[in-house]
């Protein structure tokens, strides 16, 4: 008897929940989907007209921010991607109202906008107004990285991300900050303890997994789906930038700990060297960027960044890495034009290429070219007098942005492996005597250059 | 045929297999009743949850949809209704236990067992200690000590007490001596607060008093000093204070963003006067006129502050009232984790950054400067310049106009290294023309512009390290840093140094050197001939002035007023003896008798000083060191003034502090 009763209860419950399920289906079909467009059914889009809930939310949001003088611009990769396809048509017919909501109504859960901090006066009334309009909002703030590098300054936390939620759509507003090195930066999105983790599906956000660095934006206004929005002027460039915008902050705390152990050299010589090295690095970065050659901090310069967030004062040169596929023949003339004569050239494009330029007062700029193998990346070295070849092996890595001596530059994202490959596990201990042929822990003897090639592969000026 | 029907049983097999699987499962579970029950319960629970979640979802979506509908009608207009912030009624009225101790060597005040004041340092903290408590929360809102043994301190105390809002709890306690210069006006104020004994308070008496401003007296104790050479016995006053409700302690200002800031400030601190007045609070937003073509709108402004919140308050008021100010570019750097300066910064809605103190005394100031400047340029990466201000300056209404007109000089003339708003020699009687600028070899500071390149390329890398106890400004004036460059200054200063407490500052020093400084109050002054301040143009200008200047009668005493003829608006020149570049003997004596800055040499340009006397422009040329000596008529003998006796000089040099 008891068993039967239970079964009856079970059956009843199943029935009720099926009824509810049916009701849910009905509800979505007849009530929500014509209104909300693509949120719940992915096939909508063009037919739904401009009634899409996203469109409404975005319209409200844009009204809100413009009435509070916050010049936001659209950086949503999905929407921008759609816009990019029809870009010419959109920009030519400035007031050509398309009958359908093509871009903002496309299926997605949120739309991403950006706000440049310095263009906004932080009008707090915006948030009250947002609440009155029915938005729920969330602010994610954190320490100001521009002050992180400095001893003992504690600023107020700065807002990094805002999320405005209305009905089933959310606006993700990413706050960008200008930083030293002529670029803008946005912070990572990290939730603090007391923050509602279910506010939006944070993992799906396009921005915030890592910090990011971008060129300063140029924006233009377009009328899209009957809404006036600012978008990045060069769309393809922006989308391209976005795909590898990851930014690593220097490890300031570790650097401070390092300087506790090994006090910094504050002598006039060190000051002078750093000044020259910094100028050289700025010049090199300018030259390579103008050529469109991707480069990263390598060897001692990379170690200096990673270990002490500064140039190592007793290193004698600046080291950069470049993938051999990014090699351009006009690198040498460009440097010469910039006032940096070629000092030596070892190897050839096919093998172990290395260029060295003479900076001001004995500060040298070394550019090592990196070759990719199946499971590692390597660069070569050549001993001029003997024609011996060396090979330095690194585990594979990708490139991240960072800020170094007021410059936005690349470093290997997997910096620790990179530095450890080069300097061993003891990289934290300063070593002043360094032999490039023996000291590195990843050096391998790589045979000899054939004597008949010496004229070509060993050029010393 | 039978063998050729493999599919038929297979078809039937499906349900059978299912059933048998189900039965097997059932039997298996029958044997394990507990497991089966658990599963059933789980299923029931799961179903229930589904049902609830469904209902909730439906409700949620419906609500969101209906909200959306309402919203579209209401649109974006804001400020229609004022949200009433719900206040918790403080049902339980609390009582505070207060202990106040007054003695020769120690004072302390404890509120509910927590010591809020304790001062037993020797040779410090003499006078009347005052603590202001919030009558609703019991929080300490202000702590002051007025050394009423010394003159004028009682006036400051009266000023302070008048600023405290009615209803606040006031606690008084004397340490050591507090009556010698406690004048009748101060005594009568204390009497009006309810003190019975203050009129008979005399030399080395001990006294503790707790009362409410404009209300009841909670307790008073007093012990007379028996003789001139001894102190009164220590007194310990224990009393209770009834707390009022929060509503009674707060003002009813309209609920705006500004007033919310004001309320936050006024419930925390006291002693800022009308900003917290209930009836007619003074504004905290100023909206001065913008400047036309403002070249310094986006120049960051760093305000260097310590723990002098009242100064900071006054300073920020004047800064935010200056025409062309851009509050967004202002950052206040506070040396130390002091709360009250931060409260002031937040009252005005500005950015504040606190800095852990490094080192001591002058080096601490110097490290604070470095950190502040570095942070300023980090926070504003495209800034080419930064304006540096200190917390004890009043800022002239045309401060930014002055900078906007002159800042391009820093870019175009690399023989310059700063623009300062302060003329070291610009006193009431020696400065006259707000449109006039000078070039000087000494960096005056006190409101100045620094270029990023100078800071980043030259100063920052070799800034004095903490263990060097140097003054940053002295260091900046050293030839290694200055490298022969000069600063632009106005004749009439655009800043006013009002601080009388500070690291290198005291009342006497301030009175002698800062009080009579001229300060521009005219808005929108059009600077004259800014182009002529460039390196070469300035020499032409000086030669023009020298050519038109009348030579003063060198036989007269240059200290006397009659040294100048009774004219107005004329240009004169006088020649003083100056053997070589560093010989300032005569100048120093002249500066002394003219009552201008004489503690070190300021305001010179190639052995030339420019100032006004009796509304006439006077050029003072040092002969023969100055290149302008060639203009001296051969008949004129340069004036020589004898330095005073040695000891006196030594004393003065010791007092020679930077400003």
């Amino acid at each position: 008897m008891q068993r039967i009763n239970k079964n009856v209860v079970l059956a009843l419950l199943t029935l009720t929940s099926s009824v509810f399920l049916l009701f849910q289906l009905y509800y979505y079909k007849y009530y929500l989907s014509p209104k909300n467009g693509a949120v719940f059914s992915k096939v909508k889009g063009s037919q739904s007209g401009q009634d899409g809930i996203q469109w409404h939310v975005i319209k409200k949001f844009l009204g809100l921010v413009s009435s509070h003088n916050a010049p936001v611009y659209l950086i949503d990769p999905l929407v921008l991607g759609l816009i990019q396809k029809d870009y010419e048509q959109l920009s030519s017919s400035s007031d050509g109202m398309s009958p359908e909501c093509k871009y903002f109504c496309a299926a997605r859960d949120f739309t991403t906008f950006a706000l440049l901090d310095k263009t906004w006066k932080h009008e707090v009334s915006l948030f009250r107004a947002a609440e009155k309009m029915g938005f729920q909002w969330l602010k994610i703030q954190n320490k100001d990285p521009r002050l992180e590098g400095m001893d003992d300054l504690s600023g107020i936390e700065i807002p990094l991300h805002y999320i405005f939620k209305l009905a089933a759509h959310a606006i993700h507003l990413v706050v960008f900050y200008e930083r030293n090195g002529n670029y803008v930066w946005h912070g990572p999105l990290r939730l603090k303890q007391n923050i509602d983790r279910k506010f939006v599906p944070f993992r799906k956000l396009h921005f915030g997994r890592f910090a990011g660095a971008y060129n300063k934006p140029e924006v233009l206004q377009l009328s899209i789906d009957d809404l006036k929005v600012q978008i990045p002027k060069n769309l393809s460039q922006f989308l391209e930038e976005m795909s590898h915008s990851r930014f690593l902050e220097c490890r300031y705390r570790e650097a401070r700990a390092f300087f506790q152990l090994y006090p910094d050299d504050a002598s006039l010589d060190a000051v002078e060297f750093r000044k020259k090295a910094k100028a050289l690095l700025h010049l090199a970065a300018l030259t390579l960027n103008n050529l469109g050659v991707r480069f990263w901090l390598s060897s001692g310069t990379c170690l200096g960044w990673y270990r002490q967030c500064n140039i190592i004062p007793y290193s004698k040169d600046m080291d950069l890495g470049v993938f051999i596929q990014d090699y351009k023949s006009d690198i040498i003339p460009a440097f010469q034009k910039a006032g940096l004569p070629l000092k030596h050239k070892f190897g050839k494009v096919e093998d172990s290429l290395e260029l060295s330029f003479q900076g001001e007062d004995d500060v040298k700029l070394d550019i090592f070219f990196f070759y990719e193998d199946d499971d590692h990346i390597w660069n070569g070295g050549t001993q001029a007098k003997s024609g011996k070849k060396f090979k330095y092996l690194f585990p594979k890595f990708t490139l991240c942005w960072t800020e170094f001596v007021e410059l936005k530059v690349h470093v290997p994202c997997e910096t620790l492996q990179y530095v450890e490959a080069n300097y061993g596990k003891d990289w934290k201990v300063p070593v002043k005597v360094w032999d490039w042929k023996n000291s590195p822990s990843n050096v391998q003897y790589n045979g000899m250059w054939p004597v008949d090639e010496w004229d070509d592969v060993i050029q010393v000026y | 045929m039978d063998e050729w029907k493999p599919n038929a049983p297979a078809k039937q097999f499906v349900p059978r297999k299912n059933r048998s699987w189900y039965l097997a499962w059932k039997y298996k579970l029958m044997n394990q009743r507990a497991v089966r029950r658990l599963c059933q319960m789980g299923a029931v629970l799961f179903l229930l949850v589904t049902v609830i979640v469904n209902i909730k979802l439906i409700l949620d979506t419906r609500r969101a949809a209906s909200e959306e509908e309402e919203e579209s009608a209401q649109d974006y207009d804001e400020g229609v209704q004022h949200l009433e912030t719900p206040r918790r009624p403080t049902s339980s009225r609390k009582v505070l236990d207060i202990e106040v101790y007054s003695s020769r060597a120690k004072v302390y005040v404890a509120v509910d067992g927590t010591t809020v004041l304790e001062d037993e340092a020797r040779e410090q903290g003499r006078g009347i200690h005052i603590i202001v408590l919030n009558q609703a929360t019991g929080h300490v809102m202000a702590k002051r000590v007025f050394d009423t043994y010394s003159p004028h301190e009682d006036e400051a105390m009266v000023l302070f007490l008048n600023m405290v809002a009615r209803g606040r709890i006031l606690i008084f306690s004397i340490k050591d001596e507090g009556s010698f210069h406690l004048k009748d006006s101060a005594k009568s104020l204390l009497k009006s607060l309810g003190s019975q004994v203050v009129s008979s308070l005399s030399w080395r008496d001990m006294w503790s008093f707790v009362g409410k401003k404009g209300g009841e007296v909670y307790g008073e104790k007093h012990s007379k000093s028996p003789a001139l050479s001894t102190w009164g016995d220590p007194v310990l006053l224990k009393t209770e204070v009834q707390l009022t409700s929060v509503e009674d302690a707060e003002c009813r200002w309209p609920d705006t963003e500004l007033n919310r800031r004001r309320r936050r400030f006024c419930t925390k601190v006291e002693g800022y006067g009308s900003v917290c007045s209930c009836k007619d609070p003074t504004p905290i937003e100023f909206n001065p006129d913008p400047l036309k073509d403002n070249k310094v709108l986006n120049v960051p402004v760093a305000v260097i502050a310590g723990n002098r919140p009242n100064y900071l308050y006054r300073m920020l008021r004047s800064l935010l009232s200056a025409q062309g100010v851009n509050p967004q570019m202002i950052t206040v750097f506070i040396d130390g984790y002091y709360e009250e300066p931060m409260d002031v910064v937040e009252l005005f809605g500005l950015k504040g950054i606190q800095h852990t103190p490094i080192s001591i005394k002058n080096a601490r100031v110097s490290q604070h400067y470095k950190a502040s400047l570095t942070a300023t340029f980090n926070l504003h990466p495209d800034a080419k310049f930064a304006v540096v201000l200190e917390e004890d300056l009043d800022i002239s209404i045309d401060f930014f106009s002055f900078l906007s007109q002159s800042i391009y000089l820093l870019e175009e003339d690399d023989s310059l290294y700063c623009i300062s708003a302060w003329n070291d020699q610009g006193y009431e009687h020696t400065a006259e023309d707000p449109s006039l600028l000078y070039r000087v070899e000494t960096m005056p500071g006190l409101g100045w512009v620094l270029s990023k390149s100078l800071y980043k390329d030259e100063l920052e890398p070799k800034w004095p390290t903490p263990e060097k106890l140097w003054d940053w400004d002295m260091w900046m004036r050293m030839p290694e840093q200055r490298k022969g460059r000069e600063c632009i200054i106005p004749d009439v200063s655009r800043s006013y140094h009002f601080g009388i407490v500070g690291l290198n500052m005291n009342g006497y020093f301030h009175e002698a050197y800062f009080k009579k400084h001229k300060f521009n109050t005219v808005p929108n002054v059009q600077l004259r001939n800014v182009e002529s301040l460039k390196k070469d143009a300035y020499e032409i200008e000086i030669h023009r002035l020298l050519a038109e200047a009348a030579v003063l009668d060198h036989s007269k005493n240059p200290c006397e007023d009659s040294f100048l003829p009774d004219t107005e608006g004329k240009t004169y020149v006088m020649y003083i003896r100056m053997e070589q570049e560093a010989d300032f003997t005569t100048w120093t004596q002249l500066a002394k008798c003219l009552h201008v800055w004489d503690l070190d040499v300021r305001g010179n340009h190639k052995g030339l000083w420019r100032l006004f006397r009796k509304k006439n422009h006077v050029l003072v040329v040092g002969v023969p060191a100055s290149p302008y000596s060639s203009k001296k008529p051969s008949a004129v003998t340069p004036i020589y003034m004898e330095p005073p006796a040695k000891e006196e000089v030594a004393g003065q040099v010791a007092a020679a502090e930077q400003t």
Side-chain angles (χ1 to χ4, degrees), chain B residues 126-312:
Chain B
R126 177 182 58 199
I128 302 181
H129 289 251
I130 303 180
I131 284 188
V132 184
L133 300 184
N134 186 306
Q135 68 270 40
T137 60
H139 287 154
V140 176
M141 300 183 72
K143 258 192 235 186
R144 298 284 191 280
V145 52
F146 298 97
D147 180 13
T148 44
Y149 169 84
S150 311
H152 303 305
E153 283 278 302
D154 60 334
E155 295 159 22
M157 183 176 84
V158 169
L159 217 64
F160 172 73
L161 288 175
N162 283 334
M163 279 199 288
V164 173
R166 276 176 71 88
R168 302 281 186 232
I169 298 154
L170 292 165
I171 303 173
F172 296 83
S173 184
I174 285 181
K175 181 179 176 189
D176 191 357
E177 214 300 310
S179 72
F180 188 50
H181 274 283
L182 192 66
K183 293 282 179 314
D184 284 345
S185 60
K187 282 186 177 174
S188 65
L189 175 68
L190 293 175
K191 204 174 165 190
S192 75
L193 290 171
S195 166
Q196 304 280 323
V197 299
V198 72
S199 32
S200 59
L201 195 68
S202 54
W203 175 250
R204 289 183 175 173
D205 285 359
M206 292 303 137
W207 175 61
S208 294
F209 173 69
V210 181
K212 178 176 244 173
K213 187 165 178 192
E216 48 197 306
V217 173
Y218 298 108
E220 182 165 26
K221 267 196 179 173
H222 172 229
S223 82
K224 275 218 109 19
S225 149
L228 269 184
S229 56
T230 52
W231 283 261
D233 292 330
V235 293
L236 175 62
L237 171 66
K238 288 189 179 181
T239 182
E240 285 186 346
V241 170
Q242 189 79 40
L243 288 179
T244 61
S245 68
V246 174
E247 284 89 343
D248 295 344
E250 283 186 3
C251 301
R252 284 177 187 80
W253 296 307
D255 186 32
T256 61
E257 191 52 48
L258 287 183
N259 279 342
R260 241 170 285 143
R261 273 179 1 215
R262 189 193 296 278
R263 192 185 311 281
R264 223 174 297 140
F265 182 75
C266 293
T267 48
K268 255 185 112 177
V269 294
E270 255 298 351
Y272 293 84
S274 55
V275 72
C276 293
S277 149
C278 283
K279 254 200 216 140
D280 183 23
T282 183
I284 52 172
E285 200 177 52
F286 305 94
N287 300 314
D289 296 337
L291 280 185
K292 244 192 236 165
D293 190 22
N294 190 349
K295 300 275 200 310
V296 290
L297 187 69
N298 292 318
V299 174
V301 176
V303 178
I304 315 284
N307 190 17
R308 295 182 288 177
N310 286 74
Y311 283 7
L312 184 63

Side-chain angles (χ1 to χ4, degrees), chain A residues 50-312:
Chain A
Q50 302 192 337
D51 292 329
I53 194 168
Q54 299 100 312
W55 187 85
H56 276 291
V57 174
I58 290 166
K59 181 176 157 68
K60 276 190 177 198
F61 176 75
L62 290 175
L64 173 75
V65 291
S66 75
S67 64
H68 289 85
N69 306 316
V72 302
Y73 56 97
L74 184 72
I75 52 168
D76 194 279
L78 296 177
V79 183
L80 288 182
L82 291 174
I83 293 172
Q84 193 187 12
K85 282 184 204 150
D86 307 337
Y87 185 66
E88 268 168 41
Q89 186 195 334
L90 275 168
S91 50
S92 58
S93 60
S94 56
D95 52 4
M97 298 204 319
S98 59
E100 46 187 18
C101 172
K102 203 171 163 191
Y103 308 98
F104 285 130
C105 298
R108 62 196 192 284
D109 293 336
F110 44 79
T111 310
T112 319
F113 284 91
L115 176 61
L116 197 55
D117 168 70
K118 77 160 192 178
T119 59
W120 183 43
K121 288 201 173 123
H122 290 270
E123 288 175 32
V124 257
S125 52
L126 187 146
F127 300 103
R128 298 192 102 202
E131 278 164 20
K132 279 184 196 149
M133 291 168 77
F135 279 107
Q136 287 175 283
W137 61 275
L138 183 73
K139 173 159 88 172
I140 286 139
Q141 50 182 16
N142 218 324
K143 283 187 192 138
D144 192 335
R146 299 167 298 178
L147 302 177
E148 274 292 272
M150 305 186 47
D151 293 345
D152 316 305
L153 272 197
S154 68
I156 21 190
E157 294 200 331
I158 52 170
L160 300 179
H161 298 264
Y162 290 102
I163 292 165
F164 294 84
K165 193 169 75 171
L166 182 68
H169 197 66
I171 305 279
H172 178 198
L173 183 61
V174 184
V175 188
F176 281 83
Y177 290 86
E178 284 194 343
R179 294 192 50 176
N180 266 322
N182 203 28
Y183 69 105
V184 293
W185 169 92
H186 74 77
L189 194 153
R190 297 291 175 264
L191 300 176
K192 297 202 172 150
Q193 291 268 290
N194 52 359
I195 282 180
D196 175 14
R197 264 137 233 281
K198 300 248 162 55
F199 190 77
V200 287
F202 288 102
R203 288 178 182 283
K204 288 196 198 158
L205 296 177
H206 297 294
F207 288 79
R209 188 157 169 238
F210 302 114
Y214 290 81
N215 287 325
K216 284 193 186 173
E218 272 187 86
V219 293
L220 60 89
Q221 198 176 50
L222 270 191
S223 180
I224 294 163
D225 290 343
D226 223 6
L227 293 177
K228 284 211 174 353
V229 281
Q230 309 265 0
I231 61 163
K233 208 168 186 175
N234 192 337
L235 270 186
S236 51
Q237 190 198 315
F238 178 82
L239 292 169
E240 216 273 318
E241 257 191 289
M242 196 188 147
S243 59
H244 42 79
S245 64
R246 185 178 169 192
F247 179 90
L248 297 180
E249 202 64 66
C250 198
R251 300 154 71 245
Y252 295 111
R253 207 163 350 122
E254 287 83 354
R256 271 201 281 280
F258 173 82
F259 283 127
Q260 294 277 315
L261 273 177
Y262 310 100
D264 199 14
D265 184 357
S267 68
L268 216 57
D269 284 350
V271 168
E272 274 302 301
F273 173 77
R274 278 188 172 143
K275 197 174 147 184
K276 277 185 233 150
K278 179 180 160 184
L280 179 65
L281 197 60
H282 274 249
L283 188 59
L286 184 73
T287 312
L288 289 172
N289 287 338
N290 282 343
L291 290 173
V293 172
R294 210 159 33 133
F295 68 94
W296 65 90
L297 304 183
S298 191
S299 308
T301 313
C302 185
L303 178 68
W305 171 77
Y306 192 67
R307 188 172 68 186
Q308 49 208 73
C309 297
N310 207 338
I311 294 164
I312 300 176

